[in-house]
Amino acid sequence: MKKSARWVLHLVNNLSIVAVAILASSQVSADDEVMTAARQIFKAIPSAVPVVKDNPVTREKIELGKMLFFDPRISASEIISCNSCHNLGTGGVDAGPTSVGHGWQQGPRRAPTVYNAVFNVAQFWDGRAVDLKAQAKGPVQASVEMNATADRVINTLNSMSNYVVRFKKAFPSEEPPVTFDNFAKAIEAFEATLITPAAPFDQYLEGNPNALDDQQKAGLKLFMEKGCSSCHNGINVGGQDYFPFGVIERPAASLLPTADKGRFAVTKAASDEYVFRAAPLRNVALRAPYFHSGQVWSLKQAVGVMAKIQLGTKLSDKEENDIVAFLNSLTGQLPKIEYPILPPRSAGTPAPSLGR
Amino acid sequence: MKKSARWVLHLVNNLSIVAVAILASSQVSADDEVMTAARQIFKAIPSAVPVVKDNPVTREKIELGKMLFFDPRISASEIISCNSCHNLGTGGVDAGPTSVGHGWQQGPRRAPTVYNAVFNVAQFWDGRAVDLKAQAKGPVQASVEMNATADRVINTLNSMSNYVVRFKKAFPSEEPPVTFDNFAKAIEAFEATLITPAAPFDQYLEGNPNALDDQQKAGLKLFMEKGCSSCHNGINVGGQDYFPFGVIERPAASLLPTADKGRFAVTKAASDEYVFRAAPLRNVALRAPYFHSGQVWSLKQAVGVMAKIQLGTKLSDKEENDIVAFLNSLTGQLPKIEYPILPPRSAGTPAPSLGR
């Protein structure tokens, strides 16, 4: 039970909030009680781009970051861009189960979504990157993903005059402006704009009781009372802290491959074995297949699995459907993005390299 | 010489136009003579979407076609879309030399651009598809590219209700609306919008003598007088007819792999051995590397190769630079494209298949 001690604490705290909220509102309707409880546990996605630590989000950085996000020439093969695996047209993820990278290699985990990622406590399933600018450097250099090097990226960017001009504008006080750090900062600035406000659930949190239908409200109530919101809470309905996958019951090896011990690889703490960041559930209906292993294709099935292995509960068919209805209310408004025209290559641009 | 007889006829006809134009305008300036000749050989890209044969281009088809063009779930792996190889951010092509498809396989030829492809006489380097709706069916089913089947595509599209609704709107009188033919027609409608008007050369053809600078005008004059425009003419400065690659001199095997006999595979006529559609040169400066083999990375080098093997001419350094300056005037205004949000998959959507 040791590894799940923190989780139990969360569960108790969370259920207390629900209980206190309900007790404190004995004279109002059951509907109001649910809304009051929800507003203590969750938070609406803002409509404005959030502030990013150590990286003022300017228009110049956003536009540059968008180009870099969509530019496949950042990878060694020059066919894989950030958008290849974090496809903004399909919920900020790829088709799964795990991403395909350089040389048709399959990565070990499902791509996490970039949408609303700026609100997560840290990046990657195991939180090994403290923020998006740290995250952005990872896949570029991973041999199983883009298989490039920082030097190659810098050579590529410096070979295209339009990029050099844009880096100068985005980082006016830095010399040289084209650095791997600034590459990552520009991508972070763009990704900070990838937020999806105005989901029905946001409108509900902002005080409109009619933004959710009765089934979605029933699902929300279950989501809080059964304990789902003990881990999946806050602005991203998850993504705020780390928890063991398999608190009550160890998931099947297909869902929890034994070789991947999750956050243990980051902290080396025995209590972090098979611990992962709680999945952020914003837009989850757009993002099958589910879990870090990407082996469950139905949201309803995913809900059933989580209730069983994390909460020791067998949900009824109706309960599962109600929770799925609630999860569907987490689909927000995706930003409109103009596809960027990228600078043409020059004689100095490194040629694609397809080998390993 | 037999296989190049048609080419010689073209060259003579073309040079006659240049000569007649120059004779007919003996009282006007040399500048006017060049413009007059150019207007007989080339044609400006229109600013409006052209009419497409057997496929009225409606807003509904364009929007649907855009979604299909960007949707990787059309491929068996679900990671390759039309845009993967015909990247609208990089001139409508990939980084080359030849495209990478299913299983990291490399295709035999460089991806042709989709920009202005609607103006080509036929599609592919060998013209084996009569138009864009015929072309669109090819890569989807090619095992070396997207490795899907028509049935798989239809199953995928029918599994997503948003697609079914959009096909109904785009093809209101057809039952069922979701067919492989209509899939191809929608993509063709979108691709018909991928035209790039208002290049400096277009403005020049429309009567503005200052749209080209002196070097570009010198390059244009050379382009016509040396015989380049014998094959590279019309609205796309190429793409209008088929010619042998290596009229005067056989190119190196790296440029003309012996196993790929070009249009011979389509017509089985001996005279079509190593015959290819003249490359359309619109936006050519955005599209290195060059030739169907994609082995030449510099536009200047490509110009030198063509003069030598097609015309038997050794251009001076200045002549090559002038022609490159002219080719740079062929870069037009690329359309603004909003990246499409794609329908979420459902339980019925086929899972990705990465194997061969």
Side-chain angles (χ1 to χ4, degrees):
Chain A
M1 284 299 287
K2 188 183 167 195
K3 73 174 178 178
S4 55
R6 190 176 45 179
W7 175 86
V8 170
L9 192 65
H10 267 266
L11 180 60
V12 170
N13 280 344
N14 197 251
L15 291 178
S16 302
I17 292 173
V18 178
V20 167
I22 291 175
L23 285 171
S25 58
S26 56
Q27 291 177 324
V28 295
S29 74
D31 253 25
D32 287 345
E33 289 167 14
V34 172
M35 188 189 276
T36 303
R39 292 169 88 166
Q40 294 194 44
I41 294 172
F42 308 104
K43 201 178 147 194
I45 300 271
S47 54
V49 173
V51 170
V52 174
K53 189 165 173 282
D54 298 332
N55 189 16
V57 176
T58 62
R59 282 181 203 281
E60 289 78 9
K61 272 187 213 164
I62 293 170
E63 188 59 29
L64 171 59
K66 182 173 82 169
M67 294 168 76
L68 297 171
F69 185 88
F70 278 101
D71 198 331
R73 296 165 304 182
I74 297 307
S75 62
S77 66
E78 304 193 18
I79 62 169
I80 302 174
S81 70
C82 304
N83 190 65
S84 297
C85 300
H86 303 287
N87 194 318
L88 299 184
T90 52
V93 296
D94 51 12
T98 63
S99 298
V100 178
H102 191 85
W104 211 250
Q105 295 173 86
Q106 285 182 260
R109 295 181 191 150
R110 172 125 185 79
T113 181
V114 279
Y115 281 119
N116 306 306
V118 66
F119 299 124
N120 290 331
V121 62
Q123 303 302 324
F124 294 115
W125 282 94
D126 52 17
R128 67 183 182 276
V130 66
D131 55 22
L132 287 167
K133 63 176 108 25
Q135 189 279 333
K137 295 178 178 177
V140 178
Q141 301 179 88
S143 62
V144 69
E145 299 185 57
M146 297 169 97
N147 197 35
T149 61
D151 279 352
R152 186 194 161 93
V153 169
I154 298 308
N155 287 343
T156 296
L157 298 174
N158 273 323
S159 76
M160 299 187 242
S161 56
N162 183 289
Y163 266 134
V164 176
V165 168
R166 286 176 180 273
F167 269 88
K168 279 182 187 157
K169 284 185 184 161
F171 302 96
S173 62
E174 298 188 39
E175 186 52 41
V178 184
T179 65
F180 199 49
D181 278 349
N182 287 346
F183 160 84
K185 280 185 175 175
I187 290 176
E188 178 178 58
F190 171 60
E191 290 181 340
T193 70
L194 301 177
I195 60 176
T196 68
F201 185 53
D202 291 308
Q203 297 175 40
Y204 177 83
L205 289 175
E206 285 163 352
N208 176 5
N210 302 318
L212 300 189
D213 65 23
D214 287 345
Q215 188 183 20
Q216 291 172 326
K217 284 178 197 167
L220 166 60
K221 193 158 177 278
L222 284 166
F223 192 84
M224 296 188 292
E225 289 179 353
K226 294 284 182 185
C228 311
S229 61
S230 304
C231 302
H232 298 283
N233 52 42
I235 188 167
N236 264 356
V237 194
Q240 308 305 307
D241 206 345
Y242 307 92
F243 304 96
F245 188 33
V247 172
I248 304 296
E249 184 183 317
R250 189 178 182 92
S254 61
L255 302 191
L256 183 65
T258 51
D260 180 356
K261 294 191 175 178
R263 193 158 165 77
F264 173 77
V266 181
T267 64
K268 307 296 178 198
S271 60
D272 277 335
E273 282 192 1
Y274 303 110
V275 163
F276 294 87
R277 192 190 58 188
L281 299 183
R282 290 282 179 182
N283 305 302
V284 69
L286 306 180
R287 295 193 273 108
Y290 300 108
F291 303 130
H292 69 281
S293 44
Q295 292 297 326
V296 171
W297 294 84
S298 141
L299 191 48
K300 185 174 173 177
Q301 190 187 339
V303 167
V305 166
M306 287 303 276
K308 183 159 171 270
I309 66 173
Q310 301 294 87
L311 303 170
T313 301
K314 171 90 180 83
L315 296 175
S316 71
D317 193 60
K318 180 182 179 306
E319 287 173 330
E320 285 182 3
N321 287 337
D322 288 353
I323 290 176
V324 167
F326 163 64
L327 294 176
N328 271 291
S329 82
L330 300 179
T331 302
Q333 290 183 357
L334 277 58
K336 288 185 191 299
I337 291 164
E338 190 180 308
Y339 194 68
I341 300 302
L342 302 174
R345 64 188 313 129
S346 76
T349 309
S353 167
L354 297 180
R356 294 204 197 167
Chain B
M1 283 299 288
K2 188 180 167 195
K3 73 174 178 177
S4 55
R6 189 175 47 178
W7 175 86
V8 170
L9 193 64
H10 267 264
L11 180 59
V12 170
N13 280 343
N14 196 251
L15 291 177
S16 302
I17 291 173
V18 178
V20 167
I22 290 174
L23 285 171
S25 57
S26 55
Q27 292 176 322
V28 294
S29 73
D31 253 25
D32 286 346
E33 288 167 13
V34 173
M35 187 188 277
T36 302
R39 293 170 88 165
Q40 294 193 47
I41 294 171
F42 307 103
K43 202 178 145 193
I45 300 272
S47 54
V49 173
V51 170
V52 174
K53 189 165 174 281
D54 299 331
N55 188 17
V57 176
T58 62
R59 281 181 203 280
E60 290 78 8
K61 272 188 213 165
I62 292 171
E63 188 58 28
L64 171 60
K66 182 173 82 169
M67 294 168 76
L68 298 171
F69 184 87
F70 279 101
D71 198 332
R73 297 165 305 182
I74 297 308
S75 63
S77 66
E78 304 193 19
I79 62 169
I80 302 173
S81 71
C82 304
N83 190 65
S84 298
C85 301
H86 303 288
N87 194 319
L88 300 184
T90 52
V93 297
D94 51 11
T98 63
S99 298
V100 178
H102 190 86
W104 210 251
Q105 295 174 87
Q106 285 182 260
R109 294 181 191 150
R110 173 125 185 80
T113 182
V114 277
Y115 281 119
N116 306 306
V118 65
F119 299 124
N120 290 332
V121 62
Q123 304 301 323
F124 293 114
W125 282 94
D126 54 16
R128 68 183 182 276
V130 66
D131 55 22
L132 287 167
K133 61 178 113 17
Q135 188 279 331
K137 294 178 178 177
V140 178
Q141 301 178 89
S143 62
V144 70
E145 299 184 57
M146 297 170 96
N147 197 35
T149 62
D151 279 353
R152 185 192 161 94
V153 169
I154 298 309
N155 287 342
T156 296
L157 297 174
N158 273 323
S159 75
M160 299 186 242
S161 56
N162 183 290
Y163 266 133
V164 176
V165 168
R166 286 178 180 273
F167 269 88
K168 279 183 186 157
K169 285 185 181 161
F171 302 96
S173 62
E174 298 188 40
E175 186 52 43
V178 183
T179 66
F180 199 49
D181 278 350
N182 287 346
F183 159 84
K185 280 184 176 176
I187 290 176
E188 178 179 57
F190 170 60
E191 290 181 340
T193 70
L194 300 177
I195 61 176
T196 68
F201 186 53
D202 291 308
Q203 297 176 41
Y204 177 84
L205 289 175
E206 285 163 351
N208 176 5
N210 302 319
L212 300 189
D213 65 23
D214 286 345
Q215 188 183 21
Q216 291 171 326
K217 284 177 197 167
L220 166 59
K221 192 158 177 278
L222 283 167
F223 193 84
M224 295 188 294
E225 288 180 353
K226 294 284 182 185
C228 311
S229 62
S230 303
C231 301
H232 298 283
N233 52 42
I235 189 168
N236 264 356
V237 193
Q240 308 306 306
D241 207 345
Y242 307 91
F243 304 97
F245 188 33
V247 173
I248 304 296
E249 184 183 315
R250 189 178 182 92
S254 60
L255 302 190
L256 183 64
T258 51
D260 180 357
K261 294 190 174 179
R263 194 159 166 75
F264 173 78
V266 180
T267 65
K268 306 295 177 198
S271 60
D272 278 333
E273 282 191 359
Y274 303 109
V275 162
F276 294 86
R277 192 190 61 190
L281 299 183
R282 289 283 180 181
N283 306 302
V284 69
L286 306 180
R287 295 193 274 106
Y290 299 108
F291 304 129
H292 69 281
S293 45
Q295 293 297 325
V296 172
W297 293 85
S298 140
L299 190 48
K300 185 173 173 179
Q301 191 187 342
V303 167
V305 166
M306 288 304 275
K308 182 157 172 270
I309 66 174
Q310 300 295 89
L311 303 169
T313 301
K314 171 87 181 83
L315 296 176
S316 70
D317 193 61
K318 180 183 180 306
E319 287 173 329
E320 285 182 3
N321 287 337
D322 288 353
I323 290 176
V324 167
F326 163 63
L327 294 176
N328 271 292
S329 82
L330 300 178
T331 302
Q333 290 184 356
L334 276 59
K336 287 185 190 300
I337 292 164
E338 189 180 308
Y339 195 68
I341 300 302
L342 303 173
R345 62 189 313 128
S346 76
T349 309
S353 167
L354 296 181
R356 296 209 193 162

